[in-house]
Amino acid sequence: MPRWKPALALCVLSPLIEVICSNVPASAFFRPVPFLFAATVGYGFPVLVIREAFVRRKLGLMNLILLGMIYGFYNEGLIARTLFHPFPCPVREFATYGLLGNVRIPWTLTLILTHALHSVLYPIAFVQWL
């Protein structure tokens, strides 16, 4: 199999799983500019880097999940900025809940685990399985 096919599959599968899980609106996935951003900067390149580190270093499942959690911090903390108060929070109930030093702790824990599983583990496992 050519090497570009798994890379393309990861770039499409990772944001597609986010759409299926209702984390990203479907309309954003099917518009060209948001899709290119989501598939490259937001999801594709980081997941490709994580997959390469996972495969080349022969890391275990727990290390893959840990890398996925670090990716969750990158995605939600740096790109979306939903982890910190007073930045807007997509779920109103979590806007001021569990604040510790301007970090929404429950929201942060939920999102980093969600990204570790849905954006990293599931797409990489599926592509490895293929």
Side-chain angles (χ1 to χ4, degrees), residues 18-93:
E18 291 292 319
V19 170
I20 292 169
C21 295
S22 300
N23 297 334
V24 174
S27 61
F29 185 77
F30 294 106
R31 286 184 281 158
V33 174
F35 171 72
L36 288 175
F37 177 76
T40 56
V41 176
Y43 295 98
F45 291 156
V47 174
L48 285 174
V49 169
I50 290 170
R51 185 207 171 268
E52 284 302 309
F54 172 70
V55 170
R56 288 181 187 217
R57 302 243 183 221
K58 297 181 172 92
L59 300 175
L61 180 63
M62 291 307 292
N63 288 326
L64 181 61
I65 292 172
L66 180 63
L67 288 172
M69 292 171 77
I70 293 168
Y71 167 73
F73 277 116
Y74 161 75
N75 190 308
E76 292 296 331
L78 297 176
I79 294 178
R81 293 183 167 178
T82 62
L83 302 182
F84 307 106
H85 184 74
F87 292 113
C89 186
V91 179
R92 184 177 298 176
E93 288 79 18

Side-chain angles (χ1 to χ4, degrees), residues 11 19 41 96 99 113 115:
C11 283
V19 170
V41 176
T96 58
L99 281 177
L113 186 59
H115 278 291

Side-chain angles (χ1 to χ4, degrees), residues 12 42 66 92 114 117:
V12 172
L66 180 63
R92 184 177 298 176
T114 298
L117 297 175

